[in-house]
Amino acid sequence: GGGGAASGDGGDAMAAAEAAKGVGGGEEVMEGDDEVALTRSDVYLWQDKYRPRKPRYFNRVKTGYDWNKYNQAHYDHSNPPPKTVQGYKFNVFYPDLIDKSKAPEFYVEPADSADFCILRFHAGAPYEDVAFKIVNREWEFARKRGFKCVFDRGVLQLYFNFKRYRYRR
């Protein structure tokens, strides 16, 4: 499923449109249970007029087989190696953003284990931050390798793949 707080905002339609695109080969829908609860430490002055809420989102996890030398030696296509997370596609919907001139931002923060990190999206009123626990690996920042970070028409798209390393003994 999608995620975020269900409210009467236009994020529902945006999330539905993104979900309608389906998932490509080697992609899975990122379930809502990957969202991390954030603690509230601040009170907003605009909370009467614009009720704070989490944005809607539709995320995908790119998974696949890593056919490195080790896996080529120990596995084949009838007995494949375990699937690994190779990247993510985040679509976070901010249709009712008050200050549309400021694009939402993302932060990478440490998680409870070194294998994971927290990816936090921060946009501003009336949206609360939303955060996800993701695999902690180095990102590819080249556009040719699938990196995309765009905020357009109320949708923040952050797409990235992880760097691939050659297996050496």
Side-chain angles (χ1 to χ4, degrees):
S7 60
D9 64 61
D12 292 339
M14 294 166 122
E18 185 62 36
K21 293 178 187 172
V23 286
E27 289 181 352
E28 300 170 12
V29 174
M30 187 171 174
E31 295 303 328
D33 56 5
D34 288 326
E35 182 183 339
V36 180
L38 296 170
T39 55
R40 291 279 306 255
S41 61
D42 42 9
V43 175
Y44 303 106
L45 299 173
W46 41 261
Q47 61 191 13
D48 308 326
K49 189 172 179 195
Y50 296 97
R51 188 173 49 76
R53 59 185 178 264
K54 288 212 186 298
R56 303 277 300 160
Y57 54 82
F58 189 86
N59 303 333
R60 296 176 181 86
V61 185
K62 184 179 178 191
T63 59
Y65 304 114
D66 197 4
W67 288 110
N68 56 31
K69 285 275 189 247
Y70 177 88
N71 285 350
Q72 286 174 28
H74 294 82
Y75 298 97
D76 58 30
H77 287 282
S78 61
N79 174 31
K83 273 191 170 182
T84 59
V85 174
Q86 295 178 335
Y88 291 94
K89 290 184 175 180
F90 289 93
N91 298 280
V92 188
F93 307 107
Y94 297 105
D96 303 326
L97 205 56
I98 292 170
D99 184 2
K100 289 178 172 38
S101 66
K102 243 177 97 214
E105 300 171 325
F106 66 89
Y107 304 95
V108 179
E109 302 167 344
D112 46 15
S113 93
D115 296 335
F116 295 95
C117 60
I118 304 293
L119 180 62
R120 181 166 60 94
F121 292 95
H122 171 78
Y127 295 102
E128 297 173 353
D129 289 6
V130 62
F132 303 95
K133 188 175 185 176
I134 63 170
V135 176
N136 187 13
R137 284 179 51 200
E138 199 174 346
W139 298 9
E140 276 290 4
F141 285 103
R143 281 192 43 213
K144 284 197 289 247
R145 299 216 184 248
F147 181 80
K148 179 179 181 183
C149 183
V150 178
F151 180 61
D152 185 36
R153 293 193 298 262
V155 183
L156 175 65
Q157 293 181 315
L158 175 63
Y159 296 0
F160 58 90
N161 293 318
F162 293 125
K163 283 193 174 175
R164 291 224 169 114
Y165 296 104
R166 293 274 156 259
Y167 171 74
R168 287 190 293 273
R169 269 190 279 199

